[in-house]
Amino acid sequence: MSGPAWRDSHGRPAEFPGDMSSQEEEEEGDCDAEASGLDSRSSASSDTDLEPEWLDSVQRNGELFYLELSEDEEESLLPETQTVNHVRFSEKEVIIEEDDTRERKKYEPKLKRFTKILKSKKLLPKRYHKKNSSDNGPVSILKHQSNQKTGVTVQQRYKDVTIYINPKKLTVIKAREQLKLLEVLVGIIHQTKWSWRRSGKQANGERLVVHGLSPGGSAMKSGQVLVGDVLVAVNDVDVTSENIERVLSCIPGPMQVKLTFENAYAVKKETAQPKKRKTQSSTNDLVKLLCGSETDSIQHGILDTPHITMYLTLQIQSEVSKEEQEILYHYPVSEASQKLKSVRGIFLTLCDMLESVTGTQVTSSSLHLNGKQIHVAFLKESDKLLLIGLPAEEVPLPQLRNMIEDTAQTLKFMYGSLDSAFCQVENTPHLDHFFSLFFQRALQPDKLHLSASLSAQQYDAASAVLLDSLPGVRWLTLPQELKVELDTVLSDLEAADFEELSEDYYDMRRLYTILGSSLFYKGYLVCSHLPKDDIVEIAAYCRQYCLLPLAAKQRIGQLIIWREVFPQHHLQPPADSDTEVFQEPKGRYFLLIVGLRHYMLSVLLEAGGCTSKATGNPGPDCIYVDQARTTLHQLEGIDSRIEERLASSPGLCLSCADWFLAAPHEKADNLTTSPILNRLQGSTKTVTSPTCRRTFFSDYSFKTRKPSPSRSSGGYEPGEGGEGVVPSPHTTPAAVRKQRESNGSEDSMALLKLARKKSTLPNPFHLGNSKKELSDKELEVYNTMKLTSGPENTLFHYVALETVQGIFITPTHEEVAQLGGSVHAQLIKNFHQCCLSIRAIFQQTLKEENRKVLRGEDHSESADSMSSLTAVKEHGVLFECSPENWTDQKKTPPVMAYWVVGRLFLHPKPQELYVCFHDSVTEIAIEMAFKLFFGLTL
Amino acid sequence: MGDEGAGSTVHLLCLAASSGVPLFCRSSCGGAPSRQQLPFSVIGSLNGVHMFGQNLDVQLNSARTEDTTVVLIVGLEELTNIRNVERLKKELRASYCLIDSFLGNSELIGDLTQCVDCVIPPEGSFMQETLSGFAEATGTAFVSLLVSGRVVAATEGWWRLGMPEAVLLPWLVGSLPPQAARDYPVYLPHGSPTVPHRLLTLTLLRGLELCLLCGPRPPLSQLDPQLLERWWQPLLEPLRACLPLGPRVLPEGFPLHSDILGLLLLHLDLRRCLFTVEPSRNKEPSPEQRRRLLRNFYTLVATTHFSPEPGPTEKEEDEAHPAQSPRACYLVLGPGEGWRLVALQLGLRLLLLMLSPQSPTHGLRSLATHTLQALTPFL
């Protein structure tokens, strides 16, 4: 699909892909033509907005983390936080010698040159000084306080003025030849000196003195901009007369823009002092974005909790005895963490001593500090030691173990090895950011404003304990047609035969091979063409940066991430030297993530295999970014269908725990009065006709359920056909009984299901989830509405992990929200905590099993493993709960008992299943597992 | 004090925290005492770690390595004022026997559960009466009848003993080499940590001992064979029947489901427990393995699901309101044989069972409930 067809999220025509290629075509010359190309481009493109808005954010090492919120999100966020809308991670520019940069340029492949040209036009270094509450200066920031006169604290040299800019209203004017965006958009009149115009490009340009304010313009409205002020920065980007138009043209849509002025009075004084720059890093931008305005208080709360991560070396050069030389990296620097840092000697000694005594590596230790128990997890790699310490009451030990492994995996994915991550100074700000997010998630998961609704947020916080450490990605099963559609779209992208990428087009080798891509929708993996190891690593990366929940809440106007990655699966040395076996090329790998609304597309690229070798630190290539974006735009129509599937899972029907806590007599009432009985009775006739059944299968979907009506009503409007399937447990037993009476020969479950089908209305979206190649019999299993056996639906919750494909399924946020219920929320929380401890046992079993495989033993159990609990395949815990705030003193509160059962399957492939069901029916985990895993394929 | 295991080797190391002088070091390999010692550098490092942390107000509790080796470092109570280290070392030798029995593979479980190991005697009430009468006659309130370290019957006074000593006294008697009679000085860690008491033991039958805890009176000589004969001769048959109860715990013919391979019943308030791995002796696995499995299962259950201490549990429940309290749990071992382990808590009683593989998982709970109900009158 070609570019020009779509518009970006701000309605601005996105012309640059097309333009760019034509530009590129003209510039077939050698690299030295760069300068002229640059000129021609800038003249030609002055009004076409050629440069992608993210380009300025690309860092010297090629990495890009560009996040732009969607417009409505922006509006909701701005009044409270006043943050700049672009989250950029280029805070600490790494200074690379000039000649080095030049040298690199020579090797740059042609396709990328264009990007480079744009990049070389990069404006002056950005300034980041963020607003603290204390840093607001004398000038009010709120735009609507226009009456307030400037604070006129003369001593203040700089002032920040936030004004609202809407480039949309200018699109008509824009066509005119000479743009004066500063005047039109901001309302500031600046007369460029003739001499400057003449001399063309000056390195520094001219200071932007406000010569006048255009009437009715934003600047005048703000009442804070005075004639004589000097505009020095826009959104912390230094501006001069030379670059102001370009900077302003980068503003993609209506938004608040921060203008920094040098006060008129101060200018006159002309103090020679350099601007005092805030060295505060902007690493907390994402945290701020995720937490909203409470960031500061949250962070203070966190700082009081002792927590630490350290990377220590066990080999200390004795000749240079520097203080703390064994610490290669540590975070955070806080009072509470200081103590943990000071006892690092203990960890080093333990690590050394225990390994020599026991022959195995130390994994964790617990210690008491200021009356708090702290767990410290160890991860030793060669002669380095990674430590993470967190309070026991916040993070149980099994979770901490998982977290440190997860962290190490992600860091290796990002940097290749722990050494290269921690031992390079330029990574430090990135790591600080990484770990600030990490501890934020670990210590205050419920404070992160990630989820769309309160219930979803509770669900997220409760389930993170377990789900974050599963070696898999949350998967959403989709109907077959939809899946095929998504597969096709992704395959088209992966084929990379679009015009700009074909090798003939530029008569040169491709830059990258697309190894595979995967598509997330609202944080659910909906389609993946990546091997398990890659998708798990990519998902872990996204999780660490909270990207998946971000997408769930439509906060993304545009997200582009580009970085070199080190997928361990591809970089492993070949196991055998057999030439017949496929050998991984010695290439480099790049991860491109493009987000748009609820979609997120991650693409894994390989350079150096059958494509040209990557040199230096290549930045994101426009063509690949645009193709990924185009792909996402192609998918725009599908989201309503995915949405529908999110709201109603195809196979499983859940019950809410609160329903089971009701008094028994009410239950009986409901059973007798339920109008659904009549309908079911009437519909059983259709069952006898198999042909009719088949048509239903292929053409009709069934709306699984609606948000449950209050259970006391018990009735369902007969007019609503979609109500055939009811989430209430009370109706089913009676229904089944009736069915048995009317037709004893058939399987009652199938009958019930078919009866439901009959009662549904045809769905305009044609959303059947039938697998046509399956026989009817199998189909019934696939479509089973109930996971549990017995007449009542007793399933509360489930998590099923499929390790071969690296996915897991669990009820969606929507499904859980539909159930509601305060007891149910507690149950879900308890379920996940319990599963964590069950899983800790399974992990030992798996480890033991791996060890056995390595030793080449069969399944004859050694005496040792038999008497320890290292071989467990099923573990169940029965819980009792009663409603909270039981006020009735006379009666004892009703009690509901439920099982949390975990089952580990080793053969034929490792799978893990965790279910939570009511105690009334005895369940056999294997049967439930069969039903859950059946038909679960990527 | 340090405690550490590598593979099946367990080292118990006791250091004076202030000086770092090793007080004693006991090792056991696969349940039997071994001569293998920790290298001195390791001892030094352990002490160094402890000292270093203490200076910074940080106390290291434990460390784990991959094969779940546990290092426990507990600061030695500074209660005992060590004046002469060498003399203390000599004095500590007297307790080696007891310490080694903790490190070894004991048939008892009181060390782990902190509950007194008991047996269910036939004609229990008759025995109880006799014991009370005997106690009155000898003028001691603390009398019990033990069979290989397990309590058959005891006076009210004996049951009122505080926690460490209630478990330790029978354990000590069980670990000492057989003797017809003993007069043994003991300190009671809870009841009388500084003033020693006398523990008198009298062997009635081989393995069956009568224990008295008393002050200066009565002298051992007062407990002459005539006195014993007068009180215990009438009970000779029931006493004989008690002898095999050592490992079996439950009386002959007690109706136990045939799937049950091992059983542990705890009364959390009385702090008593029944522990046996004798049912269906002829089946796999060996009693030794069953014991270890049940011990491991108890550890798992007590640490992750049911907290044995009533105190902390209540606190947690307050936090997680409404109470999502665990009632039962089960474990299926795999991938091979598939023995089942089930735990069930009803009121103050906690029952752990080990079951054979043919027992269906969905029936585990009812089986445990029935067994618990059958055992309730006894404990």
Side-chain angles (χ1 to χ4, degrees):
Chain A
M1 205 185 190
S2 55
W6 54 269
R7 294 175 150 248
D8 72 9
S9 63
H10 304 288
R12 192 166 40 104
E15 293 147 319
F16 51 87
D19 270 41
M20 208 153 33
S21 47
S22 63
Q23 285 285 329
E24 187 64 34
E25 226 171 350
E26 290 164 17
E27 294 159 21
E28 291 284 53
D30 61 16
C31 289
D32 294 337
E34 203 175 288
S36 63
L38 190 133
D39 275 347
S40 69
R41 188 209 71 90
S42 59
S43 60
S45 68
S46 57
D47 54 1
T48 51
D49 194 15
L50 187 70
E51 179 178 306
E53 52 277 31
W54 43 262
L55 209 56
D56 274 350
S57 310
V58 180
Q59 294 174 68
R60 290 278 173 84
N61 59 4
E63 279 172 26
L64 171 67
F65 192 110
Y66 180 87
L67 175 62
E68 188 182 296
L69 298 184
S70 60
E71 284 166 53
D72 39 347
E73 200 59 54
E74 189 88 355
E75 277 160 26
S76 69
L77 207 66
L78 265 174
E80 43 182 53
T81 55
Q82 303 267 342
T83 45
V84 288
N85 73 326
H86 289 198
V87 180
R88 285 173 174 147
F89 283 75
S90 44
E91 65 289 339
K92 188 164 174 183
E93 284 279 358
V94 185
I95 295 126
I96 300 169
E97 279 78 20
E98 205 51 42
D99 47 354
D100 179 35
T101 337
R102 263 185 219 137
E103 211 165 41
R104 255 176 42 202
K105 270 182 192 150
K106 285 185 190 156
Y107 302 111
E108 236 134 61
K110 269 194 243 164
L111 256 180
K112 272 181 295 177
R113 205 184 58 214
F114 197 77
T115 314
K116 283 295 165 192
I117 293 168
L118 296 178
K119 219 170 125 189
S120 67
K121 278 203 70 194
K122 186 139 113 178
L123 310 168
L124 299 171
K126 281 157 255 137
R127 286 194 313 140
Y128 278 88
H129 69 191
K130 290 222 322 223
K131 273 189 266 297
N132 285 347
S133 45
S134 59
D135 193 33
N136 281 344
V139 189
S140 167
I141 285 169
L142 301 172
K143 59 168 181 187
H144 48 262
Q145 287 178 308
S146 49
N147 290 337
Q148 192 191 340
K149 274 285 151 208
T150 337
V152 213
T153 318
V154 189
Q155 285 77 11
Q156 204 69 29
R157 218 183 140 185
Y158 294 100
K159 64 181 174 187
D160 288 345
V161 180
T162 310
I163 66 162
Y164 182 73
I165 288 185
N166 186 359
K168 266 188 188 166
K169 66 178 179 189
L170 303 170
T171 34
V172 195
I173 319 168
K174 220 178 168 183
R176 276 193 261 145
E177 41 103 57
Q178 188 60 43
L179 274 180
K180 289 283 281 179
L181 287 177
L182 183 63
E183 189 176 330
V184 185
L185 285 178
V186 192
I188 292 176
I189 299 166
H190 166 76
Q191 294 293 328
T192 317
K193 283 185 196 144
W194 186 243
S195 58
W196 283 108
R197 280 203 185 160
R198 267 270 168 103
S199 59
K201 295 198 177 301
Q202 290 284 318
N204 295 316
E206 187 193 357
R207 287 162 68 79
L208 280 165
V209 181
V210 178
H211 292 130
L213 298 172
S214 55
S218 304
M220 181 172 265
K221 274 188 201 159
S222 77
Q224 297 167 18
V225 184
L226 305 175
V227 174
D229 286 347
V230 180
L231 178 62
V232 291
V234 176
N235 269 6
D236 291 330
V237 177
D238 284 342
V239 290
T240 63
S241 63
E242 190 260 336
N243 66 5
I244 179 66
E245 292 298 302
R246 280 210 32 229
V247 170
L248 290 176
S249 70
C250 287
I251 296 170
M255 65 158 102
Q256 300 276 5
V257 171
K258 186 180 76 175
L259 306 178
T260 309
F261 290 94
E262 203 169 358
N263 271 332
Y265 189 79
V267 176
K268 274 174 200 146
K269 273 168 126 189
E270 211 56 88
T271 40
Q273 279 168 356
K275 295 176 195 172
K276 49 173 189 199
R277 288 197 174 181
K278 279 266 173 195
T279 47
Q280 189 185 352
S281 76
S282 69
T283 48
N284 285 330
D285 273 354
L286 192 55
V287 179
K288 201 162 192 166
L289 178 73
L290 298 171
C291 305
S293 52
E294 303 157 46
T295 325
D296 288 341
S297 62
I298 287 178
Q299 297 231 309
H300 275 145
I302 280 192
L303 285 184
D304 292 339
T305 324
H307 62 281
I308 198 163
T309 180
M310 281 190 286
Y311 192 63
L312 308 173
T313 175
L314 297 170
Q315 307 245 289
I316 302 163
Q317 284 85 35
S318 49
E319 53 264 32
V320 271
S321 56
K322 214 172 69 198
E323 267 298 292
E324 302 188 348
Q325 57 165 330
E326 69 271 27
I327 301 181
L328 299 176
Y329 175 81
H330 77 108
Y331 182 91
V333 188
S334 73
E335 194 90 7
S337 311
Q338 185 59 35
K339 194 152 251 175
L340 279 170
K341 191 179 130 196
S342 64
V343 295
R344 61 189 180 277
I346 291 187
F347 308 133
L348 289 171
T349 313
L350 280 178
C351 176
D352 192 51
M353 177 186 68
L354 289 182
E355 200 181 335
S356 68
V357 173
T358 65
T360 54
Q361 284 176 3
V362 63
T363 55
S364 67
S365 76
S366 313
L367 39 88
H368 262 289
L369 178 83
N370 301 340
K372 255 190 178 177
Q373 204 191 5
I374 315 272
H375 290 313
V376 180
F378 294 65
L379 197 103
K380 193 183 168 214
E381 245 189 25
S382 63
D383 59 343
K384 307 288 195 328
L385 184 65
L386 176 66
L387 294 171
I388 296 181
L390 281 167
E393 59 181 21
E394 321 272 353
V395 181
L397 190 58
Q399 195 191 351
L400 185 63
R401 283 292 327 153
N402 292 333
M403 281 162 76
I404 195 171
E405 268 152 31
D406 215 33
T407 305
Q409 182 197 10
T410 308
L411 287 175
K412 281 183 201 162
F413 179 64
M414 290 165 68
Y415 298 102
S417 70
L418 290 183
D419 265 355
S420 55
F422 287 108
C423 298
Q424 282 164 16
V425 190
E426 64 261 30
N427 288 337
T428 310
H430 299 275
L431 290 172
D432 284 350
H433 173 256
F434 180 89
F435 282 108
S436 91
L437 272 175
F438 173 84
F439 286 119
Q440 186 80 46
R441 291 192 310 133
L443 294 171
Q444 296 183 319
D446 44 346
K447 290 277 172 54
L448 286 175
H449 292 190
L450 295 170
S451 313
S453 65
L454 189 69
S455 74
Q457 190 171 319
Q458 277 179 345
Y459 179 39
D460 269 340
S463 58
V465 167
L466 176 74
L467 302 188
D468 276 6
S469 63
L470 288 182
V473 194
R474 192 182 213 136
W475 169 251
L476 183 69
T477 42
L478 291 176
Q480 193 68 15
E481 300 103 87
L482 201 49
K483 223 162 74 177
V484 169
E485 217 165 309
L486 292 176
D487 278 336
T488 316
V489 172
L490 287 200
S491 301
D492 283 350
L493 172 74
E494 284 151 14
D497 57 356
F498 28 91
E499 194 176 34
E500 295 95 332
L501 277 191
S502 68
E503 306 206 338
D504 301 336
Y505 196 83
Y506 296 116
D507 196 23
M508 55 176 274
R509 287 178 89 180
R510 267 177 207 173
L511 289 178
Y512 308 107
T513 319
I514 299 182
L515 287 184
S517 58
S518 56
L519 182 70
F520 294 86
Y521 183 79
K522 280 193 171 181
Y524 297 87
L525 181 67
V526 290
C527 188
S528 173
H529 292 174
L530 282 166
K532 171 218 161 194
D533 297 277
D534 291 342
I535 185 68
V536 167
E537 280 176 334
I538 289 174
Y541 171 81
C542 294
R543 197 166 51 224
Q544 298 281 3
Y545 283 97
C546 304
L547 295 176
L548 298 178
L550 200 67
K553 207 187 165 180
Q554 172 150 23
R555 298 189 92 156
I556 298 179
Q558 185 179 349
L559 166 76
I560 298 163
I561 293 173
W562 170 274
R563 66 171 303 130
E564 180 162 13
V565 292
F566 304 85
Q568 302 298 310
H569 160 68
H570 295 283
L571 294 169
Q572 266 163 12
D576 48 75
S577 49
D578 187 3
T579 45
E580 295 282 298
V581 180
F582 171 73
Q583 304 280 328
E584 290 283 349
K586 285 190 177 57
R588 290 170 68 183
Y589 299 87
F590 294 88
L591 174 67
L592 171 66
I593 296 179
V594 177
L596 192 69
R597 316 259 163 80
H598 292 312
Y599 285 115
M600 236 172 68
L601 179 67
S602 59
V603 185
L604 189 64
L605 304 161
E606 181 191 76
C610 55
T611 52
S612 57
K613 279 204 161 46
T615 47
N617 296 313
D621 194 276
C622 289
I623 293 167
Y624 287 89
V625 172
D626 291 336
Q627 283 307 325
R629 219 160 17 175
T630 313
T631 307
L632 287 184
H633 279 283
Q634 259 180 293
L635 293 169
E636 265 176 354
I638 298 177
D639 52 5
S640 63
R641 290 157 65 186
I642 303 179
E643 200 65 42
E644 193 157 325
R645 184 42 54 102
L646 270 176
S648 60
S649 149
L652 302 167
C653 200
L654 296 177
S655 278
C656 177
D658 298 63
W659 299 338
F660 286 88
L661 278 167
H665 63 90
E666 271 179 64
K667 234 181 190 176
D669 285 351
N670 278 341
L671 287 179
T672 48
T673 54
S674 176
I676 198 155
L677 289 182
N678 305 327
R679 202 182 320 145
L680 284 171
Q681 215 171 0
S683 62
T684 41
K685 286 169 201 150
T686 59
V687 171
T688 45
S689 147
T691 46
C692 145
R693 192 204 299 189
R694 206 161 286 126
T695 42
F696 279 127
F697 269 125
S698 51
D699 288 335
Y700 293 133
S701 80
F702 32 93
K703 225 165 154 189
T704 322
R705 79 184 98 85
K706 291 220 155 189
S708 94
S710 70
R711 69 155 307 284
S712 54
S713 78
Y716 305 91
E717 285 82 6
E720 288 183 55
E723 287 280 21
V725 181
V726 206
S728 163
H730 326 305
T731 51
T732 29
V736 170
R737 218 178 307 125
K738 284 280 175 193
Q739 304 243 332
R740 284 220 180 97
E741 284 162 21
S742 59
N743 192 342
S745 63
E746 284 251 11
D747 176 42
S748 62
M749 246 181 24
L751 281 172
L752 182 59
K753 185 160 52 64
L754 288 166
R756 284 179 188 132
K757 285 213 174 74
K758 179 61 188 159
S759 65
T760 53
L761 295 170
N763 189 311
F765 287 103
H766 187 72
L767 211 152
N769 63 344
S770 58
K771 281 187 146 185
K772 291 199 175 68
E773 66 271 25
L774 291 176
S775 74
D776 276 359
K777 188 71 192 162
E778 282 168 306
L779 203 61
E780 279 161 24
V781 182
Y782 182 66
N783 282 341
T784 303
M785 313 298 292
K786 258 169 6 90
L787 190 66
T788 51
S789 57
E792 291 195 358
N793 179 33
T794 56
L795 182 73
F796 294 137
H797 208 77
Y798 63 90
V799 173
L801 172 71
E802 222 280 54
T803 52
V804 169
Q805 301 173 95
I807 54 171
F808 66 84
I809 52 166
T810 187
T812 61
H813 293 82
E814 283 81 357
E815 286 178 275
V816 174
Q818 280 168 15
L819 294 174
S822 61
V823 179
H824 195 72
Q826 290 287 334
L827 175 139
I828 286 180
K829 192 169 179 206
N830 189 44
F831 168 77
H832 286 101
Q833 255 149 15
C834 185
C835 289
L836 179 71
S837 48
I838 294 177
R839 182 150 197 276
I841 300 171
F842 288 166
Q843 278 173 310
Q844 284 197 345
T845 307
L846 283 168
K847 217 181 271 175
E848 189 65 29
E849 195 67 15
N850 286 343
R851 218 174 290 169
K852 263 188 208 165
V853 171
L854 285 180
R855 275 189 263 132
E857 286 176 28
D858 58 351
H859 294 295
S860 62
E861 295 172 41
S862 64
D864 195 40
S865 72
M866 228 167 56
S867 48
S868 64
L869 295 180
T870 50
V872 175
K873 62 181 172 194
E874 192 173 321
H875 186 17
V877 186
L878 179 77
F879 287 94
E880 267 181 16
C881 69
S882 44
E884 57 186 338
N885 309 324
W886 186 255
T887 46
D888 197 344
Q889 295 291 331
K890 289 169 201 161
K891 282 187 239 167
T892 52
V895 172
M896 195 267 293
Y898 62 90
W899 282 100
V900 176
V901 175
R903 171 93 193 186
L904 173 72
F905 300 88
L906 288 169
H907 305 286
K909 45 192 180 175
Q911 289 176 332
E912 289 171 39
L913 169 76
Y914 304 90
V915 282
C916 179
F917 52 85
H918 189 250
D919 180 41
S920 61
V921 186
T922 49
E923 296 298 342
I924 297 161
I926 307 175
E927 284 180 11
M928 299 175 95
F930 176 73
K931 290 179 194 170
L932 258 180
F933 286 114
F934 192 86
L936 184 68
T937 43
L938 277 176
Chain B
M1 200 191 292
D3 173 6
E4 168 186 340
S8 53
T9 315
V10 184
H11 299 286
L12 181 75
L13 174 67
C14 182
L15 299 169
S18 51
S19 60
V21 175
L23 297 177
F24 66 85
C25 181
R26 307 298 297 170
S27 305
S28 103
C29 187
S34 85
R35 301 255 61 180
Q36 195 193 344
Q37 293 275 316
L38 283 173
F40 188 75
S41 63
V42 172
I43 298 176
S45 307
L46 277 170
N47 186 54
V49 161
H50 176 72
M51 295 266 283
F52 179 64
Q54 206 168 36
N55 289 340
L56 292 160
D57 270 339
V58 175
Q59 195 187 34
L60 185 69
N61 291 337
S62 64
R64 285 154 221 88
T65 70
E66 275 157 24
D67 50 5
T68 63
T69 307
V70 180
V71 175
L72 260 175
I73 300 181
V74 186
L76 175 68
E77 301 151 51
E78 317 262 337
L79 271 170
T80 38
N81 198 356
I82 305 167
R83 287 208 198 91
N84 186 334
V85 175
E86 287 309 310
R87 195 173 145 201
L88 180 70
K89 276 168 136 178
K90 270 196 201 116
E91 284 171 359
L92 280 169
R93 266 189 211 149
S95 55
Y96 281 4
C97 185
L98 181 63
I99 292 166
D100 283 347
S101 73
F102 283 127
L103 297 183
N105 292 327
S106 174
E107 289 185 357
L108 308 180
I109 202 169
D111 57 328
L112 187 65
T113 60
Q114 287 300 299
C115 291
V116 185
D117 283 281
C118 301
V119 299
I120 299 174
E123 301 184 52
S125 55
F126 196 16
M127 218 172 266
Q128 191 70 44
E129 276 170 32
T130 316
L131 197 69
S132 305
F134 178 77
E136 228 167 274
T138 52
T140 33
F142 309 96
V143 184
S144 68
L145 188 63
L146 307 180
V147 56
S148 50
R150 297 173 177 87
V151 176
V152 180
T155 60
E156 298 243 326
W158 184 278
W159 286 128
R160 275 202 300 272
L161 283 174
M163 203 6 91
E165 50 260 38
V167 171
L168 284 176
L169 286 173
W171 194 289
L172 174 69
V173 174
S175 71
L176 291 173
Q179 263 158 0
R182 298 186 195 91
D183 192 343
Y184 208 84
V186 288
Y187 290 91
L188 305 179
H190 177 74
S192 163
T194 48
V195 182
H197 281 64
R198 288 166 66 223
L199 177 68
L200 307 180
T201 68
L202 303 155
T203 304
L204 298 181
L205 295 166
R206 196 178 163 76
L208 190 70
E209 285 172 287
L210 197 60
C211 295
L212 293 88
L213 191 67
C214 53
R217 297 206 46 81
L220 188 58
S221 55
Q222 193 192 316
L223 306 167
D224 48 35
Q226 287 81 14
L227 182 77
L228 292 181
E229 214 161 283
R230 194 166 72 243
W231 281 99
W232 297 102
Q233 190 62 46
L235 277 170
L236 192 59
E237 275 319 301
L239 286 178
R240 283 230 171 87
C242 279
L243 285 182
L245 284 184
R248 223 179 53 211
V249 174
L250 300 176
E252 189 88 47
F254 185 87
L256 217 49
H257 195 278
S258 59
D259 283 345
I260 296 177
L261 302 175
L263 175 149
L264 170 63
L265 174 67
L266 298 120
H267 194 293
L268 300 173
D269 192 37
L270 295 176
R271 312 287 324 164
R272 294 181 212 169
C273 67
L274 300 175
F275 178 49
T276 178
V277 289
E278 291 296 302
S280 315
R281 254 209 94 110
N282 42 351
K283 285 191 202 162
E284 279 285 297
S286 71
E288 183 50 37
Q289 281 171 339
R290 293 183 195 185
R291 236 188 317 264
R292 276 170 47 198
L293 272 175
L294 267 174
R295 282 183 82 100
N296 284 328
F297 184 51
Y298 174 80
T299 314
L300 173 82
V301 161
T303 49
T304 58
H305 304 309
F306 312 103
S307 180
E309 305 293 330
T313 335
E314 277 164 25
K315 217 172 97 196
E316 274 169 34
E317 279 174 7
D318 281 344
E319 282 165 21
H321 198 83
Q324 309 267 335
S325 41
R327 288 286 171 256
C329 77
Y330 71 87
L331 212 61
V332 179
L333 299 183
E337 284 280 8
W339 285 297
R340 283 104 165 85
L341 290 157
V342 59
L344 174 75
Q345 186 163 23
L346 268 183
L348 290 165
R349 290 181 181 81
L350 176 63
L351 176 72
L352 280 78
L353 292 177
M354 182 184 168
L355 298 156
S356 61
Q358 72 259 22
S359 192
T361 42
H362 52 80
L364 292 179
R365 190 171 156 233
S366 61
L367 174 57
T369 314
H370 286 134
T371 313
L372 187 57
Q373 277 161 359
L375 285 166
T376 299
F378 299 102
L379 193 71

